[in-house]
Amino acid sequence: MARKKLLFGNWKMNKTIAESREFAKASKELLAFADAKGVDIGVAPVYLSLSAVKEENPKLNVAAENCHFEDHGAFTGEIAIPMLKEIGIDWVIIGHSERRTYFGETDETCNKKLLALEKAGMTPIFCVGETLEEYEAGRTKEVVKRQTLKGLEGLGKQFVNDMVIAYEPVWSIGTGKNASKEIAQDICSFIRELVREQYGDAAENVRILYGGSVKPENVHDYLLQEDVDGALVGGASLKVDSFKALIENI
Ligand code: PGA
């Protein structure tokens, strides 16, 4: 079965509740457009805007940008999975490089969060990717392998089958410095092989996205690659017109 393409917008720390609501209203048209093209779409707003976006467009896939692995407790400033579920959220981005770099996310905490999401029946978008230093030292595959294997440790086959993994080379995020489509294909196919070794044919269904300076002008090239099942998009997902152009150009 062919894997359905997925285009997910990562809004990071952008948009107030009102601005998110505005986008969500307009997203009804985007969703109809994406449906007609046979593409899945979604957005990841800040926690504060999750309810508003769901309210305006209940059919849109909406992800939190992070979560805690415990259900509750003394973790000031954190958000637990049952709190997300209560407001109808069933997707979560895990291990984005900005969380790894600025907020101490590790392979171990990613793994704990993925295990907790499995228990809760949620869908993760699990991010992996090497830094510029690691890339220049030729260590991309070593790093991606470590992140992927540690992240997926102990997960069930069905969960892996249904999850999303995003390969985002850190040096290409928000820099306008794209990884070539050949690099994207090479690493996404490498990740699929890692999944195959651990989880057999779940590798055929797991969706693997490329992320890092994806724009309407280059999205097509990435998505033509055999093992690239979609894109995780930051900057170019913030405006309705640009999101629409991304869908259009797939
Ligand atoms: P970018 O961000 O598209 O702005 O490079 C991608 C991401 O961080 O997911």
Side-chain angles (χ1 to χ4, degrees):
M1 203 185 70
R3 295 178 294 270
K4 199 169 174 194
K5 301 288 186 209
L6 174 64
L7 203 56
F8 228 98
N10 173 15
W11 287 353
K12 312 191 178 191
M13 199 176 72
N14 292 295
K15 292 192 190 291
T16 62
I17 298 176
E19 288 162 352
S20 303
R21 199 179 278 284
E22 191 93 346
F23 185 107
K25 275 186 191 145
S27 75
K28 287 182 186 155
E29 200 189 312
L30 290 181
L31 199 54
F33 188 48
D35 278 347
K37 284 208 98 175
V39 177
D40 285 337
I41 60 167
V43 294
V46 299
Y47 288 130
L48 281 177
S49 296
L50 290 170
S51 285
V53 173
K54 263 282 158 201
E55 212 175 276
E56 293 297 342
N57 188 356
K59 292 201 181 128
L60 184 64
N61 294 310
V62 181
E65 296 176 13
N66 182 32
C67 67
H68 199 277
F69 48 82
E70 295 289 352
D71 278 356
H72 54 83
F75 302 102
T76 303
E78 290 292 302
I79 299 288
I81 292 168
M83 299 165 189
L84 296 172
K85 285 193 83 170
E86 186 184 32
I87 56 167
I89 301 301
D90 41 26
W91 292 75
V92 185
I93 297 178
I94 297 295
H96 189 277
S97 67
E98 284 146 23
R99 299 230 46 98
R100 292 179 190 259
T101 306
Y102 307 128
F103 303 102
E105 188 83 88
T106 63
D107 294 336
E108 284 71 25
T109 55
C110 287
N111 179 242
K112 284 185 180 177
K113 291 176 183 191
L114 290 169
L115 288 164
L117 289 173
E118 178 176 27
K119 233 168 84 191
M122 313 256 285
T123 307
I125 299 173
F126 173 47
C127 304
V128 297
E130 80 287 5
T131 62
L132 180 60
E133 203 183 351
E134 290 161 343
Y135 171 72
E136 285 176 343
R139 295 179 51 216
T140 299
K141 287 191 175 169
E142 171 202 327
V143 170
V144 168
K145 182 175 179 179
R146 189 201 73 227
Q147 292 173 334
T148 305
L149 294 186
K150 182 64 204 169
L152 300 188
E153 207 173 273
L155 297 174
K157 185 174 171 180
Q158 190 60 48
F159 182 68
V160 173
N161 188 86
D162 299 335
M163 76 186 282
V164 176
I165 301 175
Y167 168 57
E168 298 204 308
V170 180
W171 48 273
S172 73
I173 297 177
T175 57
K177 208 170 141 184
N178 293 77
S180 66
K181 57 185 195 299
E182 289 80 13
I183 293 179
Q185 165 57 22
D186 184 33
I187 305 304
C188 289
S189 114
F190 176 69
I191 293 169
R192 199 175 302 285
E193 283 317 304
L194 292 172
V195 173
R196 197 184 314 281
E197 284 165 23
Q198 306 285 319
Y199 293 97
D201 55 13
E204 295 310 319
N205 295 319
V206 62
R207 286 190 282 186
I208 305 179
L209 314 182
Y210 168 76
S213 299
V214 174
K215 308 279 176 235
E217 302 77 53
N218 61 26
V219 68
H220 185 68
D221 277 350
Y222 288 116
L223 269 77
L224 272 183
Q225 309 306 307
E226 192 181 335
D227 287 292
V228 179
D229 303 317
L232 183 57
V233 187
S237 76
L238 288 168
K239 295 216 168 76
V240 176
D241 284 355
S242 162
F243 205 118
K244 188 166 182 203
L246 285 165
I247 303 170
E248 210 157 40
N249 291 355
I250 277 182

